[in-house]
């Protein structure tokens, strides 16, 4: 019998015993715990018990024994090294290492720590899911390549998951052997001393955090507090009572020039941090683009922007220490000033983030050469797009972890952002989560086919090679086709909300790419319609339909604009009649698309509320409503043009008389905000990477650089 055993993450070593040697779980089989550790191992044992019952129907009674190895026909959980050859060298596998040994009369799972035994239980749960009650003789020796493997989920871009959703997510992360979890927070926590910060956002409460912290600890996942403590403060600084702390009037960074900034942060920390048991604290402090341009400009001239930034970090370190926390920070700003990195105290962890697939990541080598404690932070590539940029995520995760390991990184934090409203469903990040888990535990060279097979079996509950997984790759490629794929985004998202008659994508996107995108979405819809898990089936099929609609919408806009330019001469009655028929057909198509918006918006809302609090859903619902208004404006304008054409008069084929009212969508809003900063402080004050981004987008024309 050929045994296929797809596991996620794949174990480091797996050897099968003699062919035909099996152990059959039966009604009188048992699960045995060591009596001296029964309480500490109880939760993991119950997880394994439940998995066996689900897979086989067997109740597998749980009992404790002074020596769990004294007996047969049982699964023995052992804390320590059994005196048997397969377990030799177990301590060298580290605290998370374990050995699973199945022979003809029983199975033994051993580890030197509770966390290692829990990791082994996650593997054993997958084994019985795949093989059921007939277990072949095998030995798995397993341990992680990185000791810290985490996920950071953005809950500050509109979507705050329900407590139940977060619990399900932690269950998933634990099953994939992640051991670190963060929620990125700017304003979506209820601060007792500053409740106005979160007003109207359905924030997480201290009760939520305490419950989630406990839930994580049971599953050996460290729940680490994360609170933005410098830039990204648009919500807070838009409130009148905090406006005096705005660095330059751009509603972005807290000024380091006022002592009140640190008084505020101390009060926020006092409300926030006691709800966590982790000794770590991510203070973020990334993308402080307006640093030293306003209230702190004299200090920046005196100290330099880099040292001004460093001074703020040291103040945060002192504040966090009052609450028994060590801080971690995003490394992007300090990497502009590598000469200052050596001045950071050694207890500060640097988080090196890059979200595009590259051949190599020099910053990892730089931080390693400086002797810094650091983690690599790739991304899920699931934001700024209607479906994740899957190939980019795979390349980003694999290569960044590879370079991080080579440079001495001790961890990976996989980031899952929600730019411009977090309009993508959380479950769409499932595949990147699986990639991150496999690469951070098993190493960057995990074969893709191995990963795909395990993903199909354990997450989609489908057989290896199933079309549902192939569709993930195919749609991921389609959203990044030429003219659709961009750094950190995909025009698939902008195509959904782009202006229907004057959007910039109408002339920018290749119609062939749109046709392929539409075809991939329809194929994915068919493949995902039979997913057995309702949550995934609903989320994925809606995503496919939304992508298909966006592709249809942009194709219709392109064809309408082309038709306006090619209409026959209105002075020729015969040609005009044909032109009117074609024009009416194109306008009717536009009107029909508009008619579908309300149902798409309603389904989007229902999907959001299945997993998240209502919170700031209005950000995306307002986009649907604004797009509906643009459709109405386009139809009104076209009606007037049709009347002119029907009267034998020329029309405005280039839409020069069509007023968009300054309509912008998604990152077009972001570029407009950055241009506002450039006008406010001068282009020369912007960080080099931001200037380059504006130049690449062709947006610096007319702005002063002096």
């Amino acid at each position: 019998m050929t045994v296929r055993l797809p596991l996620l993450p794949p174990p480091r070593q797996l050897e099968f015993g003699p062919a035909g040697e099996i152990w059959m779980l039966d009604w009188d089989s048992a699960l045995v715990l060591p009596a001296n550790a029964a309480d500490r191992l109880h939760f993991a044992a119950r997880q394994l018990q439940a998995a066996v019952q689900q897979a086989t129907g067997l109740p597998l009674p749980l009992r404790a024994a002074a020596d769990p190895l004294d007996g047969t026909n049982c699964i023995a959980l052992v804390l320590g090294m059994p005196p048997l050859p397969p377990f030799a060298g177990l301590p060298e596998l580290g605290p998370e290492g374990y050995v699973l040994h199945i022979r003809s009369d029983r199975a033994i799972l051993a580890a030197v720590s509770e966390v290692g035994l829990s990791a082994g239980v996650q593997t054993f749960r997958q084994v019985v899911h795949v093989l059921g009650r007939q277990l072949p003789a095998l030995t798995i020796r397993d341990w992680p390549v990185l000791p810290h493997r985490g996920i950071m989920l953005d809950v500050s871009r509109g979507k705050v998951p329900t407590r139940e959703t977060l619990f399900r997510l932690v269950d998933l992360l634990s099953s994939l052997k992640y051991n670190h979890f963060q929620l990125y927070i700017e304003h979506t926590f209820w601060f007792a001393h500053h409740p106005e910060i979160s007003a109207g956002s359905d924030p997480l409460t201290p009760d939520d955090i305490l419950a989630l912290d406990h839930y994580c600890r049971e599953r050996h996942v460290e729940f680490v507090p994360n609170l933005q403590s410098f830039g990204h403060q648009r919500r807070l600084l838009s409130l009148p009572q905090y406006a005096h702390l705005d660095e330059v009037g751009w509603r972005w960074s807290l000024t380091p020039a006022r002592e009140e900034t640190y008084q505020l942060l101390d009060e926020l920390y006092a409300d926030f941090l006691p709800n966590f048991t982790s000794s770590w604290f991510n203070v973020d402090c990334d993308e402080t683009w307006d640093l030293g341009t306003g209230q702190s400009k004299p200090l920046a001239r005196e100290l330099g922007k880099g040292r001004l930034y460093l001074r703020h970090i040291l103040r945060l370190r002192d504040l966090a220490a009052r609450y028994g926390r060590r801080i971690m920070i995003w490394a992007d700003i300090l990497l502009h000033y590598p000469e200052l990195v050596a001045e950071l105290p050694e207890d500060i962890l640097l988080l090196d983030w890059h979200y595009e697939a590259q051949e190599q990541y020099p910053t990892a080598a730089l931080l390693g050469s400086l002797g810094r404690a650091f983690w690599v932070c790739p991304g899920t590539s699931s934001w700024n797009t209607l479906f994740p940029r899957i190939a980019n995520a795979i390349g980003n995760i694999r290569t960044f972890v590879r370079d991080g390991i080579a440079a001495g990184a001790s961890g990976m934090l996989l980031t899952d952002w929600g730019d411009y409203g977090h309009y993508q469903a959380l479950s769409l990040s499932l595949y990147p989560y699986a990639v991150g888990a496999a690469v951070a535990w098993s190493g960057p060279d995990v074969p893709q086919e191995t990963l795909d097979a395990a993903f199909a079996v354990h997450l989609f509950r489908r057989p290896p090679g199933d079309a549902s997984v192939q569709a993930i790759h195919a749609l991921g490629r389609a959203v990044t086709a030429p003219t659709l794929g961009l750094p950190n985004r995909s025009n698939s998202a902008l195509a959904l909300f782009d202006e229907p008659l004057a959007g910039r994508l109408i002339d920018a996107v290749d119609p062939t790419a749109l046709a392929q995108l539409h075809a991939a979405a329809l194929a994915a819809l068919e493949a995902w319609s039979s997913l057995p898990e309702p949550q995934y089936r609903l989320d994925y099929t809606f995503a496919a339909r939304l992508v298909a609609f966006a592709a249809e919408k942009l194709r219709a806009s392109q064809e309408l604009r082309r038709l306006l330019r090619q209409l026959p001469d209105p002075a020729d009655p015969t040609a005009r009649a044909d032109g009117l028929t074609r024009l009416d057909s194109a306008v009717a198509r536009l009107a029909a698309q508009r008619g579908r918006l309300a149902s798409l918006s309603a389904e989007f809302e229902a999907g959001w509320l299945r997993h998240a609090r209502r919170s700031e859903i209005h950000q995306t619902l307002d986009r649907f409503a604004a797009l509906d208004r643009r459709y109405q404006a386009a139809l009104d304008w076209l009606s007037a043009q049709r009347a002119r054409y029907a009267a034998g008069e020329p029309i405005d084929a280039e839409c020069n008389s069509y007023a968009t009212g300054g309509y912008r969508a998604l990152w077009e809003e972001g570029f407009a905000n950055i241009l506002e900063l450039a006008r406010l402080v001068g282009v020369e004050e912007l960080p080099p990477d931001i200037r380059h981004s504006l130049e690449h987008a062709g947006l610096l024309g007319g702005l002063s650089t002096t």
Side-chain angles (χ1 to χ4, degrees):
M1 179 183 69
T2 301
V3 178
R4 293 182 175 85
L5 191 52
L7 300 173
L8 187 64
R12 305 289 295 279
Q13 295 177 6
L14 167 60
E15 295 180 0
F16 287 99
E21 183 177 338
I22 63 168
W23 173 47
M24 182 77 74
L25 280 166
D26 212 337
W27 197 260
D28 58 350
S29 301
L31 177 56
V32 185
L33 292 170
N36 61 358
D39 184 61
R40 288 178 288 153
L41 302 181
H42 182 264
F43 182 81
R46 289 295 186 194
Q47 283 188 310
L48 181 54
Q49 182 187 48
V52 170
Q53 182 148 24
Q54 183 178 24
T56 68
L58 299 175
L60 208 68
L62 186 65
R63 62 181 173 85
D67 181 5
L69 295 176
D70 184 16
T72 58
N73 193 27
C74 66
I75 299 174
L77 303 186
V78 179
L79 201 57
M81 189 171 72
L84 298 169
F87 300 93
L90 176 59
E92 282 72 45
L93 302 185
E96 291 187 279
Y98 66 89
V99 174
L100 172 61
H101 179 58
I102 300 175
R103 62 189 196 187
S104 60
D105 61 345
R106 63 177 171 177
I108 303 170
L109 175 61
V112 297
S113 72
E114 299 159 42
V115 67
L117 207 61
S118 177
V121 163
Q122 306 317 312
T123 296
F124 209 154
R125 291 170 69 194
Q126 294 187 10
V127 169
V128 296
H129 170 69
V130 174
L131 300 176
R133 60 195 297 176
Q134 184 170 297
L135 304 179
L138 60 79
T139 301
I140 292 175
R141 297 174 59 83
D142 203 11
W143 68 100
V145 297
L146 283 174
H148 304 285
R149 306 167 307 281
I151 292 287
M152 188 224 71
L153 176 64
D154 180 358
V155 297
S156 291
R157 298 294 189 277
K159 185 179 291 181
V160 179
T162 62
R163 188 185 294 191
E164 292 73 21
T165 297
L166 291 171
F167 284 171
R168 287 196 300 270
L169 177 57
V170 172
D171 283 335
L172 170 68
L173 300 184
S174 173
S175 73
L176 295 176
K177 300 187 178 68
Y178 281 102
N179 60 6
H180 183 108
F181 182 44
Q182 299 182 23
L183 297 174
Y184 172 78
I185 292 175
E186 294 172 4
H187 64 281
T188 49
F189 176 80
W190 185 80
F191 298 97
H193 291 92
H194 296 270
E196 61 278 3
I197 291 175
S198 62
S201 68
D202 275 351
L204 295 164
T205 66
D207 192 316
D208 291 325
I209 298 298
L210 288 168
L212 190 56
D213 189 85
H214 176 76
Y215 201 85
C216 286
R217 277 186 283 117
E218 282 188 321
R219 290 153 180 79
H220 299 285
V221 176
E222 185 174 9
F223 185 32
V224 173
N226 179 316
L227 183 64
Q228 184 59 261
S229 301
F230 208 173
H232 286 274
Q233 298 290 353
R234 181 141 288 156
R235 170 62 176 264
L236 183 148
L237 294 175
S238 295
L239 299 173
Q241 56 268 57
Y242 306 106
H244 64 293
L245 301 180
D246 190 333
E247 167 63 14
V248 72
W250 193 51
R251 307 173 310 285
W252 190 257
S253 292
L254 294 165
T255 180
R258 287 179 177 263
E259 188 60 29
E260 297 99 311
T261 289
Y262 302 99
Q263 293 171 2
L264 171 64
L265 289 170
D266 192 19
E267 292 167 4
L268 299 182
Y269 291 1
D271 287 342
F272 186 59
L273 292 175
N275 301 290
F276 297 83
T277 54
S278 172
S279 61
W280 280 108
F281 176 28
N282 188 352
V283 295
D284 298 305
C285 298
D286 57 312
E287 297 183 328
T288 51
W289 297 322
D290 54 345
L291 174 65
T293 63
Q295 295 191 58
S296 69
K297 195 167 188 175
L299 281 171
R301 286 172 176 163
E302 175 188 347
L303 302 173
K305 286 187 180 182
R307 196 165 294 281
L308 177 61
Y309 179 87
L310 177 62
R311 193 181 77 159
H312 181 78
I313 297 302
L314 295 178
R315 288 294 303 270
L316 298 185
R317 175 178 178 265
D318 291 342
L319 287 177
R322 296 182 190 178
Y323 303 96
R325 299 314 202 276
R326 293 175 57 188
I327 66 170
M328 54 180 70
I329 65 170
W330 302 114
D332 58 309
I333 301 300
L334 278 174
L335 285 170
H336 290 304
Y337 311 97
E339 70 280 2
L340 298 179
V341 172
E343 297 186 29
L344 277 179
E346 291 185 358
D347 59 2
I348 296 178
L349 179 68
L350 291 175
L351 302 172
D352 185 19
W353 60 269
H354 295 279
Y355 303 143
E356 292 305 300
Q358 301 173 192
E359 291 297 322
Q360 58 182 0
Y361 294 90
T363 53
L366 173 61
L367 291 174
S369 71
L370 295 172
R372 294 301 316 181
F374 76 101
W375 294 2
V376 292
C377 305
T380 61
S381 300
S382 57
W383 61 93
N384 288 338
T385 181
L386 294 183
F387 191 76
R389 300 178 298 137
I390 293 296
N392 185 78
I394 294 170
N396 182 211
I397 294 167
R398 283 188 185 276
T399 308
F400 206 1
V401 169
R402 179 203 68 190
D403 288 2
I405 292 171
S410 57
M412 177 205 74
L413 183 64
L414 181 60
T415 60
D416 193 355
W417 297 99
D419 296 14
Y420 303 107
H422 218 151
Y423 45 86
Q424 64 278 10
L426 174 59
S427 62
L428 298 186
S429 295
L430 199 62
Y431 190 88
Y433 286 177
V435 175
V439 169
W441 179 280
S442 309
D445 297 325
V446 173
Q448 194 63 43
E449 60 274 16
T450 299
L451 202 161
D452 282 351
F455 180 91
V457 169
H458 297 292
L459 296 180
F460 269 5
R461 304 299 191 186
R462 303 294 292 167
D466 190 68
S468 60
V469 179
Q470 297 170 21
I472 287 177
H473 291 290
L475 192 53
R477 286 191 298 271
V479 298
T480 56
T483 71
L484 285 171
L486 297 167
N488 202 41
R489 58 182 57 89
S490 161
N491 275 330
S492 63
L494 188 56
L496 173 61
F497 294 111
D498 204 18
E499 220 288 334
L501 196 56
R504 68 173 187 84
L505 295 186
I506 293 173
D507 292 327
V509 173
D510 180 3
T512 301
L514 283 178
Q516 293 170 348
L517 179 65
H518 186 258
L522 294 183
L525 179 61
E526 180 180 0
W528 296 333
S529 292
S530 58
L531 288 176
E533 170 56 53
Q535 169 189 338
Y536 299 152
R537 185 171 65 251
L538 294 173
D539 288 347
Y540 276 72
T541 54
F542 178 68
R545 293 197 304 106
L546 207 58
V547 172
F549 175 83
E552 292 170 8
K553 170 181 173 288
L554 186 50
R555 289 171 71 188
S557 296
Q558 290 178 334
E559 290 167 10
L560 177 57
R561 287 296 300 272
R562 187 162 54 248
L563 174 62
L564 292 176
R565 294 173 179 134
Q566 297 174 353
L567 279 174
D569 185 353
D572 180 345
T574 302
R576 183 171 69 239
D578 176 63
L580 283 172
T581 299
R582 294 164 60 196
L583 182 58
D584 287 344
S585 176
V587 171
R589 183 180 179 188
L590 208 67
Q593 287 182 335
R594 183 200 180 190
R596 293 171 59 190
L597 277 182
S599 62
L600 286 171
S601 178
E603 188 171 355
F604 172 86
E605 183 175 10
W608 177 298
L609 295 177
R610 281 198 303 272
H611 311 302
R613 306 159 199 231
R614 177 161 289 276
S615 193
E616 295 161 287
I617 191 176
H618 63 82
Q619 291 185 49
T620 303
L621 295 184
D622 287 353
R623 294 191 195 283
F624 278 106
L627 178 59
D628 181 72
R629 292 192 294 272
R630 292 315 309 161
Y631 265 107
Q632 182 62 62
L635 291 168
D636 289 344
W637 185 86
L638 287 166
S639 177
Q641 295 301 310
R642 184 197 186 282
R644 290 178 56 87
Y645 189 76
E649 301 175 12
I651 65 166
D652 178 5
E654 296 301 328
C655 301
N656 293 321
S657 60
Y658 177 64
T660 64
Y663 178 82
R664 297 188 184 96
L666 304 179
W667 49 85
E668 292 180 336
E669 300 167 1
F671 281 129
N673 283 331
I674 295 174
L675 287 174
E676 178 192 346
L677 176 63
R679 285 187 287 266
L680 190 63
V681 304
V683 174
E684 69 282 354
E685 291 284 0
L686 299 178
D689 52 337
I690 299 304
R691 289 201 301 270
H692 174 75
S693 177
L694 291 176
E695 290 168 358
H696 181 73
L699 297 174
L700 281 184
L703 288 177
S704 172
T705 57
T706 61

